[in-house]
Amino acid sequence: MKTITIQGLAAPVSQLIMGTDFFRLNNPDEVSDIMDKYLAIGGNTLDTGFIYCGGESEQAIGKWLDENNKHGEINVLTKGAHHDANGPRVNATAIRSDLMISLERLHTDYVALYALHRDDPEVPVGPILEALNEHIEAGRIGAIGASNWSHERLQAAAEYASQHGIIGFSFSSPNLSLAKANEPFWMNCVSIDAEGLKWYEEHQLPLLSWSAQARGFFSGRFTPENRDNADLVRVFYSDENWERLRRAEELAKKKGLSAIQIALAYVLNQPFPTCALIGPRSEEEMRSCQQGAELELTATEMAWLDLSEK
């Protein structure tokens, strides 16, 4: 599997990152089976978060790492400082609390990748980066990143880090997919638009995309008339996205693949480093992801898929 390099990590990161929001303590056989399949295609990085499954995702990962002696071989990306019922909590206290609990759940004293799960634009970037740098210096974190931060805030963070001689964000994890979001999936989530794509290309910041395959929009299960999935209707139903789907199907037919594999390839063929967070639950789905990740698209094909060319 192809990999990318993230500043702060000695090990590369596989372009397909395994999502673990279904990893729980009561399904160890499924976790083990999926991990065997993921490792078999060359994957080496897991995505989790402090809030996933009420903490069970991190606990299940820690248990699996212990039982398979994989600490140090697998990159773990976890996230913290998510908002709660009282509102934003992107601050040094919340970061420390969430990180220390995450490390305990993961049965480790170090996590390769740590991201802030949400942003709070009311908080200056300086204190946030300073707090994260303390944990890098303490050896608890390899690389820091931001999930669901706008490119404007990422730019401000990069400028602060440069001006103050500290470590800035080495990666970002918003939504990027061939289907463009009409509105956020959840409050304060960020999906990349054309302006954002230009910024990432200019700055070459690695982007780890969640919902890279648009939550099944390209699976063939949905049509403009099928409005059973309210969230998918709200976020992805648009004339432009139906045309993107049509083009993905046309290109897939030429290449002997499926539209959803074309959609995955679109994310992984950007002119800047990218990874895709995936969530396959079967051998067939895992192999589909592998085949999509192996596909190389030309710049002309990318522009045509995204409606930049007729």
Side-chain angles (χ1 to χ4, degrees), residues 166-242:
I166 64 173
I167 297 173
F169 292 134
S170 297
F171 66 95
S172 173
S173 185
N175 165 246
L176 169 63
S177 67
L178 177 57
K180 306 310 175 195
N182 302 317
E183 60 181 78
F185 282 88
W186 304 283
M187 185 181 297
N188 301 307
C189 284
V190 173
S191 291
I192 300 303
D193 57 14
E195 184 180 351
L197 285 173
K198 291 178 182 178
W199 185 88
Y200 278 93
E201 182 175 1
E202 178 183 352
H203 294 274
Q204 293 294 302
L205 183 70
L207 186 155
L208 319 183
S209 173
W210 53 266
S211 288
Q213 293 168 300
R215 299 178 72 83
F217 181 81
F218 294 92
S219 66
R221 301 195 305 268
F222 302 99
T223 65
E225 296 73 31
N226 179 350
R227 305 180 72 84
D228 295 338
N229 188 318
D231 281 336
L232 211 68
V233 171
R234 175 177 61 85
V235 177
F236 285 129
Y237 277 36
S238 70
D239 291 342
E240 292 80 6
N241 282 338
W242 292 120

Side-chain angles (χ1 to χ4, degrees), residues 21-212:
D21 58 355
F22 63 92
F23 282 28
R24 291 177 172 80
L25 294 173
N26 65 358
N27 66 340
D29 290 342
E30 181 182 16
V31 170
S32 181
D33 179 60
I34 288 296
M35 285 304 302
D36 286 346
K37 291 177 170 59
Y38 177 62
L39 295 178
I41 67 169
N44 71 355
T45 304
L46 302 179
D47 169 73
T48 186
F50 179 82
I51 66 168
Y52 286 4
C53 309
E56 283 198 38
S57 171
E58 291 179 326
Q59 291 175 290
I61 291 171
K63 185 173 183 290
W64 181 87
L65 290 170
D66 284 347
E67 293 175 349
N68 293 273
N69 196 28
K70 292 294 186 180
H71 285 286
E73 294 184 28
I74 300 295
N75 300 313
V76 175
L77 160 61
T78 194
K79 302 177 285 294
H82 195 285
H83 300 183
D84 63 17
N86 297 316
R89 48 191 296 276
V90 186
N91 56 66
T93 300
I95 291 169
R96 171 175 286 276
S97 175
D98 287 5
L99 173 60
M100 299 309 289
I101 293 172
S102 290
L103 292 175
E104 182 179 356
R105 291 170 176 168
L106 291 163
H107 300 174
T108 185
D109 57 6
Y110 167 85
V111 65
L113 301 149
Y114 192 77
L116 300 176
H117 212 155
R118 292 288 189 274
D119 187 18
D120 181 0
E122 299 301 316
V123 178
V125 295
I128 298 172
L129 289 177
E130 298 284 357
L132 289 167
N133 269 252
E134 290 181 13
H135 297 293
I136 294 175
E137 293 169 7
R140 301 184 187 104
I141 299 172
I144 54 174
S147 178
N148 297 297
W149 278 44
S150 69
H151 67 272
E152 292 89 351
R153 283 277 283 178
L154 292 172
Q155 179 66 37
E159 292 172 358
Y160 182 93
S162 177
Q163 292 166 3
H164 293 81
I166 64 173
I167 297 173
F169 292 134
S170 297
F171 66 95
S172 173
S173 185
N175 165 246
L176 169 63
S177 67
L178 177 57
K180 306 310 175 195
N182 302 317
E183 60 181 78
F185 282 88
W186 304 283
M187 185 181 297
N188 301 307
C189 284
V190 173
S191 291
I192 300 303
D193 57 14
E195 184 180 351
L197 285 173
K198 291 178 182 178
W199 185 88
Y200 278 93
E201 182 175 1
E202 178 183 352
H203 294 274
Q204 293 294 302
L205 183 70
L207 186 155
L208 319 183
S209 173
W210 53 266
S211 288

